[in-house]
Amino acid sequence: MHVLVYSSRPHDREVLEPALVAAGHQISHTEATLDELNLALAQGCDAICTFVNDELDAARLQRLADMRVRLILQRAAGIDNIDLDAARRSGIAVAHAPAYSPHAVAEHAVALLLSLNRHVHIAWQRVQQGNFLLDGLLGFDLHGKTAGIVGMGRIGQCFARIMLGFGCRVLAFDPGIPEDARMPGVEYDTLDAIWHASDILSLHCPLLPATRHLVDARLLTQSRPHALLINTSRGAVVDTRAILDALGAGRLGGYAADVYESERNVFFHDCSGKELGDALLCDLIRHPNVLVTPHQAFFTREALQGIARAMVDSLAHWAAGTPGTGFVTARP
């Protein structure tokens, strides 16, 4: 099959391309994010391979279908950028990478937590300037604290195991998990209950209509004043303005995020020396109790290899006409 890779970066050429070529597929790349102008690049391709900032709405999906594109390979777990109902109507199947490396994202969440709690990012900047004072760098022991987790899928479970290893009490909220499938050693409760009780809060839920702005001004009134909130899920799971307001009012101790609700035109781009054109993002990254990374939680060698395997597997199932675990819509 001929596959066009949108939003392609050097690591896609280094890891994804060899895997697909070895499986007998023809690969083309474009660094451009999928939009109205470069949608026509998919002409003559059987499938396209997309990433989280490639927006696939109903109109674009119909245009792809008109060009006889029949398969979308999303090289990520999240698929909130794709209108799945429109894909079904257009006769386009969608596959993603549901479990490439939950450890990668969970470990990055822990890295954000440790850096935010112990002010590592601030200390590093100070040392570069010759400032070795400890003022303003006070953190707290994770041991003995309570960690609340929103979303207990593969990534949430990995994060829970790490927190248990630190000696934390672990609470979780995930209404989609039946009682007999709950993780041992973890206490399950309501969202408000875990929010009120936790020193550490980590988000690991997908972006759905029910989870958009799940963390809002009301919920943040339940936070402990010293609580640290970590977001490696999706930017729109939180109301960013409400986060900044809570930080300013002393209702939240700190916020670390690998994602942002309006990241599409900023993340994965070099914006050095340019105006970001997003006042809210500027306020966020300049806040002293905020740490932002550029959507890199997935970015490990093992994760990239897992994503490549998932893409090859989905292409094989497509060619054979058999169901595959990566498909989120039925094969037409």
Side-chain angles (χ1 to χ4, degrees):
M1 294 179 69
H2 185 185
V3 182
L4 172 62
V5 181
Y6 279 99
S7 301
S8 180
R9 296 294 183 264
H11 59 267
D12 294 308
R13 293 177 173 84
E14 293 169 9
V15 180
L16 183 62
E17 180 169 356
L20 268 64
V21 169
H25 303 288
Q26 179 185 350
I27 308 300
S28 300
H29 294 266
T30 177
E31 293 186 2
T33 302
L34 191 154
D35 61 21
E36 296 298 331
L37 295 177
N38 55 53
L39 196 63
L41 295 174
Q43 186 72 52
C45 296
D46 305 295
I48 60 171
C49 184
T50 56
F51 199 45
V52 293
N53 287 339
D54 293 312
E55 189 72 20
L56 288 151
D57 58 17
R60 293 175 185 177
L61 286 162
Q62 187 56 55
R63 283 189 59 193
L64 288 168
D66 292 342
M67 290 187 282
R68 299 188 181 280
V69 172
R70 290 293 176 261
L71 175 62
I72 294 170
L73 300 165
Q74 173 89 337
R75 56 186 189 279
I79 49 173
D80 49 272
N81 58 313
I82 304 172
D83 186 333
L84 297 181
D85 289 335
R88 294 184 185 97
R89 291 195 301 269
S90 300
I92 298 177
V94 178
H96 68 149
Y100 51 86
S101 177
H103 304 284
V105 180
E107 290 171 8
H108 190 75
V110 175
L112 289 175
L113 168 61
L114 292 171
S115 296
L116 184 66
N117 177 35
R118 304 304 296 270
H119 309 285
V120 173
H121 56 303
I122 296 173
W124 183 86
Q125 292 174 338
R126 287 185 182 181
V127 169
Q128 300 305 304
Q129 299 167 0
N131 181 352
F132 294 85
L133 289 174
L134 298 182
D135 300 6
L137 302 181
L138 185 66
F140 58 76
D141 289 359
L142 297 187
H143 181 83
K145 298 300 186 295
T146 298
I149 303 173
V150 179
M152 284 295 288
R154 296 179 180 90
I155 298 170
Q157 290 179 39
C158 285
F159 185 83
R161 284 192 287 271
I162 297 171
M163 290 297 99
L164 290 169
F166 273 121
C168 293
R169 176 193 180 200
V170 177
L171 308 180
F173 169 73
D174 193 329
I177 295 182
E179 190 169 346
D180 59 359
R182 292 177 174 180
M183 182 176 171
V186 175
E187 303 169 47
Y188 290 73
D189 212 327
T190 65
L191 181 61
D192 281 5
I194 73 163
W195 211 268
H196 181 72
S198 298
D199 308 288
I200 301 150
L201 292 150
S202 195
L203 305 177
H204 299 288
C205 54
L207 179 58
L208 304 168
T211 61
R212 182 174 293 276
H213 285 188
L214 180 71
V215 181
D216 58 8
R218 185 207 65 81
L219 185 63
L220 288 163
T221 63
Q222 308 291 320
S223 304
R224 293 186 171 188
H226 64 274
L228 303 180
L229 173 60
I230 314 300
N231 186 8
T232 54
S233 56
R234 283 292 183 267
V237 171
V238 308
D239 180 339
T240 305
R241 175 49 64 191
I243 294 286
L244 288 169
D245 290 345
L247 289 167
R251 295 192 301 271
L252 186 66
Y255 178 59
D258 188 52
V259 288
Y260 174 64
E261 183 169 3
S262 302
E263 69 181 53
R264 179 165 288 112
N265 296 320
V266 178
F267 284 30
F268 310 119
H269 299 282
D270 184 357
C271 299
S272 303
K274 302 176 183 177
E275 291 290 334
L276 294 181
D278 187 328
L280 186 59
L281 178 58
C282 290
D283 288 346
L284 188 69
I285 62 181
R286 290 170 183 164
H287 196 287
N289 294 335
V290 170
L291 172 59
V292 175
T293 53
H295 208 138
Q296 68 183 81
F298 78 99
F299 202 51
T300 67
R301 294 183 183 89
E302 293 81 359
L304 292 178
Q305 291 163 357
I307 290 170
R309 286 193 297 270
M311 301 298 95
V312 170
D313 181 68
S314 292
L315 283 166
H317 281 287
W318 171 265
T322 56
T325 57
F327 283 87
V328 292
T329 63
R331 184 187 188 282

